[in-house]
Amino acid sequence: MTETDQIRERPRDTSGTRRLRIPVLPLREVVLFPGVTVPVGAGRPGTLRAIETALKREDRLIFAVSQRQNIENVTPEVLYTTGTVSRIGQIQRGLGGVQLLLHGEYRGTVLQYGQSEGHIEAVVVEAQDLPPADPTDAAFVALHKELRERAAELGQKSGLPEDVVQQVLEGVTEAGRFADLVAGYIDIAPAERQGLLETLGIEERMRRVLVHVQRQLALLNAQEEIKEKVQEELGERQREMLLREQLKAIRKELGDEDESADTDELRERLEKLELPEEARKEVKRELARLERTSRESMEAQVIRTYLETVAELPWNVRTEEHLDVAEAAKVLDEDHFGLQKVKDRVLEFLAVRQLRQRQMLEERQQRQGEGPPASSAAPAAPAASPGAGNEDDRVPRGSILLFVGPPGVGKTSIAKSIARATGRKYVRISLGGARDEADIRGHRRTYVGAMPGRIVDGMKRAGSKNPVFLLDEVDKLGVSFQGDPAAALLEVLDPAQNDTFTDHYLGIPFDLSEVLFIATANFLQGIPSPLFDRMEMVEFSGYTEQEKLAIARQYLIPRQLKEAGLDAARLTLTDDAVMALISGYTREAGVRQLERELGKVARKVARRIAAKEVEQERLDAGDISRVIGRPMVHPERAAREDQVGIATGMYYTPVGGDIMFVEVSVMPGKGDLALTGQLGDVMKESARAALTFARSHADHLGIPDGALTDKDVHVHVPAGATPKEGPSAGVTMATALVSALSGVPVRHDIAMTGEITLSGRVLPIGGVKEKVLGATRAGITTVVLPRENLADLEDLSTAERGVLTVHPVESLSDVLAVALQRDPGHPRRTSGPADAEQPELVAH
């Protein structure tokens, strides 16, 4: 071997010892001891070549040594220097490798590693054992004896037959060989095995092996002890169950069956409930099962939990309602500003319930021959459950309302006010993100950890049969492979079915007909049609700036002052300051962001007061930016002059209404139409319909010949990062197109909305209130609306209608007559309520 082939060399005195140059067999996670035979699998190319080289030797010897690291590509650096010179016994070849039987002959220490014919070989010298100074020493003899006894004990505890253990012990008498034999079969880590292999002192090796044997014995003893305890516990339970069954039989024979106190209490609670017949049968059946079942068993706990759930439900518990309509109106006005439609609907519900209960009492008294009642006062709600007595005597069914509107307008909070106004309990569950039918109906009791659904759980929390039950975010229900929770709500929200609502966990019908269900949603599109059909929609629109100012004065400012530790004397906000917050720092239909901004102002002022910089502060509009920074919202403003190809439209989003500009440019081309600005399919169709109308009415609209054949048209709606959709921009696109093609400018002080058809008809649209308010905020008070939307202006206040000039239109020709400035050199005529040339003008 050349000097370059040498990788590591450790010279030592080798006098009187065997020295060999043999191939190396690297072992992964295996340590072979002298005198021990183990099966080994090999498949790496270098290892296979080393085996073939060893098989060519007459003595079939190979050096088995462990790797320091479990890696695939072996180099001498990752091999230990102490291993076992082994003899290859049987060998079995297979696909991809060989299986061979190795028998350890003696320890070996590597003097030198090298490479030969694609495999590692080594110069190995025998590592001789270091015998004790006196083999007859009593301590050494005792150690040898103790190791043999403990090894025999370990073999028997491991399941080996006693005669086999004795045969192995008698076959090895030498102390060092016996220690190697035991070390080869005990269950320890590879690193500890290698340490035992490298221990040449026989006495020291025996001590270390004995320690590992003792640890193995301790582990086996602990396992046996645990096993005995488990078996003993199981035996005690079986014995207890047997004794309990015998005790029951004895008590039955004596006629003295003594039920436990908690079972008696549970039975008493269940008997007081006014349950339907089907439910009572199920409860009796489960009670009987509970009495027959061992109290400590898992089944008994499941049954008891079920019966306690039944007992906690409000089967015949109602809260006394406050049916005073005037008092309820006062409570609603205290808690919320505006929302008149919602308040009216709640008061109608109370009025109908009051009159219906009075009518029921009169009919009952007439049947009893007592005549009509002398007092006209509304009676309290009857205590009888539905189904008892004549059907006409039933308590009036609850209503199912759907509050739809943008975030922050008070949908959830007014439900709580309704509960306070009616004297009912209030319970709320959030359905946002619910994807499992079991969220509504519960899990069947066959499942481990089953529980009732949210509806039954909410009724249990309410403790009343007639609460106000809020189903929040019903438009955000999900669908998964576990079912559709929206479909499960169909029974809950159907007045014709919910008196027998059956939860999967209960398995018995529960009456929900007296519950006042209120659902909330932001978008109708997320509610399935069958579910929407079961609810009465009450629409919440966004607040106007004046309404937000009033809400801030009555509710938000006092609440934020209190939270900041201030009072009205220390911080004063003028109306102009609040309006500056509304217009410059918030962009929403509700008032959540406004309240956050007011809280920020209050905290800034509180900090200055606490630092004794000021004692009190009065803020006007100009002070807001100094206190909380520059405005974060920049709403659109009306254009400053009339322009060709630019029209002003109105749009509505969940955060309120605003204006937008539609820009059209005409350039030489082939008559193509380009649409940009992230427009949705409906808006693109509106633009194509507008272009078709312009082509078909070119002569009437004053569009020059050839303007549509050799010109390309580009329609763009600014704010390209924001997706836009809807048909209401149709009239705006058509007006901008006609203006660009005819060269006639569009009035900059007019905003429009409406859907168009190919024939030029203008169809009604939605969100009129929000759109008109958005135009007003942008400084535009002249609007063009479809004639069929005029009734929607009644949603505006008298003051808001007073500043508007409205042009109702039925066709696109009406729109163009109002919006296009046909004579740019002539002063533009300003439309107004007294405009005699516009007989169809409607001004409010």
Side-chain angles (χ1 to χ4, degrees), residues 477-524:
L477 289 167
V479 180
S480 70
F481 67 94
Q482 296 167 318
D484 184 1
L489 278 177
L490 294 178
E491 181 184 3
V492 176
L493 300 181
D494 191 343
Q497 303 179 40
N498 63 8
D499 57 340
T500 57
F501 170 71
T502 303
D503 184 272
H504 286 160
Y505 179 79
L506 290 181
I508 53 179
F510 185 81
D511 185 10
L512 299 175
S513 61
E514 298 180 44
V515 179
L516 174 55
F517 283 107
I518 299 177
T520 69
N522 297 126
F523 304 100
L524 290 177

Side-chain angles (χ1 to χ4, degrees), residues 290-538:
L290 179 62
E291 293 170 354
R292 295 192 303 267
T293 307
S294 172
R295 182 178 178 180
E296 287 74 18
S297 68
M298 182 64 69
E299 185 180 6
Q301 300 303 322
V302 172
I303 297 173
R304 182 174 297 278
T305 302
Y306 168 75
L307 292 175
E308 287 177 351
T309 301
V310 173
E312 291 171 359
L313 286 172
W315 296 91
N316 54 350
V317 178
R318 297 177 181 83
T319 53
E320 184 176 351
E321 292 183 284
H322 302 159
L323 298 179
D324 189 332
V325 176
E327 182 65 24
K330 180 180 178 182
V331 171
L332 293 175
D333 288 337
E334 286 177 359
D335 292 347
H336 290 81
F337 179 86
L339 303 178
Q340 198 56 46
K341 286 185 178 180
V342 183
K343 294 177 182 177
D344 289 344
R345 180 62 186 87
V346 175
L347 296 177
E348 291 167 6
F349 166 77
L350 292 179
V352 170
R353 191 170 182 87
Q354 182 186 57
L355 296 176
R356 176 61 180 149
Q357 288 194 1
R358 181 186 303 171
Q359 185 183 49
M360 289 165 52
L361 181 61
E362 291 175 353
E363 292 174 354
R364 187 182 304 116
Q365 290 178 344
Q366 287 177 358
R367 287 197 302 269
Q368 296 172 355
E370 297 177 5
S375 173
S376 61
S385 63
N390 192 294
E391 186 169 346
D392 293 336
D393 293 340
R394 287 193 177 191
V395 178
R397 293 182 181 271
S399 297
I400 299 165
L401 304 177
L402 172 62
F403 293 167
V404 180
V409 294
K411 300 185 297 296
T412 302
S413 60
I414 200 170
K416 190 178 295 185
S417 297
I418 291 172
R420 188 165 80 92
T422 58
R424 295 183 174 214
K425 296 289 186 67
Y426 170 77
V427 62
R428 169 187 170 274
I429 63 172
S430 177
L431 298 178
R435 300 180 304 160
D436 190 352
E437 180 194 5
D439 283 343
I440 307 299
R441 288 187 172 274
H443 302 83
R444 301 187 188 277
R445 278 176 285 153
T446 53
Y447 296 105
V448 176
M451 61 181 64
R454 296 194 190 185
I455 301 297
V456 169
D457 182 68
M459 295 300 295
K460 185 171 70 172
R461 286 187 286 118
S464 168
K465 195 176 182 179
N466 59 340
V468 173
F469 203 123
L470 181 67
L471 305 173
D472 213 3
E473 310 293 354
V474 75
D475 59 326
K476 298 174 180 62
L477 289 167
V479 180
S480 70
F481 67 94
Q482 296 167 318
D484 184 1
L489 278 177
L490 294 178
E491 181 184 3
V492 176
L493 300 181
D494 191 343
Q497 303 179 40
N498 63 8
D499 57 340
T500 57
F501 170 71
T502 303
D503 184 272
H504 286 160
Y505 179 79
L506 290 181
I508 53 179
F510 185 81
D511 185 10
L512 299 175
S513 61
E514 298 180 44
V515 179
L516 174 55
F517 283 107
I518 299 177
T520 69
N522 297 126
F523 304 100
L524 290 177
Q525 294 86 345
I527 305 176
S529 298
L531 185 61
F532 178 74
D533 186 58
R534 285 163 166 78
M535 299 181 284
E536 177 183 345
M537 186 183 73
V538 180

Side-chain angles (χ1 to χ4, degrees), residues 503-645:
D503 184 272
H504 286 160
Y505 179 79
L506 290 181
I508 53 179
F510 185 81
D511 185 10
L512 299 175
S513 61
E514 298 180 44
V515 179
L516 174 55
F517 283 107
I518 299 177
T520 69
N522 297 126
F523 304 100
L524 290 177
Q525 294 86 345
I527 305 176
S529 298
L531 185 61
F532 178 74
D533 186 58
R534 285 163 166 78
M535 299 181 284
E536 177 183 345
M537 186 183 73
V538 180
E539 190 170 1
F540 283 62
S541 57
Y543 294 117
T544 66
E545 291 187 352
Q546 292 300 321
E547 288 174 334
K548 290 180 180 180
L549 175 62
I551 293 171
R553 284 289 176 210
Q554 295 184 31
Y555 306 101
L556 306 185
I557 294 178
R559 185 158 62 227
Q560 291 303 318
L561 289 178
K562 183 178 180 181
E563 291 186 3
L566 301 174
D567 54 33
R570 292 191 171 187
L571 174 58
T572 303
L573 287 168
T574 65
D575 287 351
D576 290 340
V578 179
M579 292 300 290
L581 281 173
I582 294 171
S583 60
Y585 296 85
T586 67
R587 184 180 180 85
E588 58 179 345
V591 291
R592 284 179 183 162
Q593 182 63 27
L594 175 60
E595 184 168 11
R596 284 192 285 267
E597 296 299 328
L598 288 170
K600 187 187 298 184
V601 171
R603 290 192 299 272
K604 297 286 187 183
V605 174
R607 176 183 175 182
R608 298 189 64 193
I609 293 176
K612 298 184 179 179
E613 297 178 10
V614 295
E615 292 185 359
Q616 59 183 14
E617 191 147 7
R618 184 179 187 275
L619 299 180
D620 207 342
D623 302 320
I624 296 299
S625 60
R626 172 179 60 82
V627 175
I628 61 174
R630 59 184 176 82
M632 305 302 294
V633 176
H634 305 284
E636 291 281 6
R637 306 300 300 177
R640 297 182 179 180
E641 58 183 9
D642 300 343
Q643 300 180 64
V644 174

Side-chain angles (χ1 to χ4, degrees), residues 15 97 138 175 187 206 288 292 415 418 445 468 519 603 605 625 655 678 706 735 795-796:
S15 59
D187 185 15
M206 291 173 65
R292 295 192 303 267
I418 291 172
R445 278 176 285 153
V468 173
R603 290 192 299 272
V605 174
S625 60
V655 297
Q678 257 202 91
T735 302
D795 295 337
L796 299 172

Side-chain angles (χ1 to χ4, degrees), residues 7 23 35 103-104 124 132 218 252 318 383 416 439 581 606-607 624 662 749 795 809 811 817:
I7 299 176
H103 178 73
V124 182
K252 188 173 182 180
R318 297 177 181 83
K416 190 178 295 185
D439 283 343
L581 281 173
R607 176 183 175 182
I624 296 299
V662 176
D749 62 344
D795 295 337
V809 295
S811 66

Side-chain angles (χ1 to χ4, degrees), residues 109-123:
T109 302
V110 176
L111 297 181
Q112 180 181 355
Y113 277 119
Q115 295 283 342
S116 175
E117 298 179 357
H119 66 84
I120 302 174
E121 69 173 11
V123 177

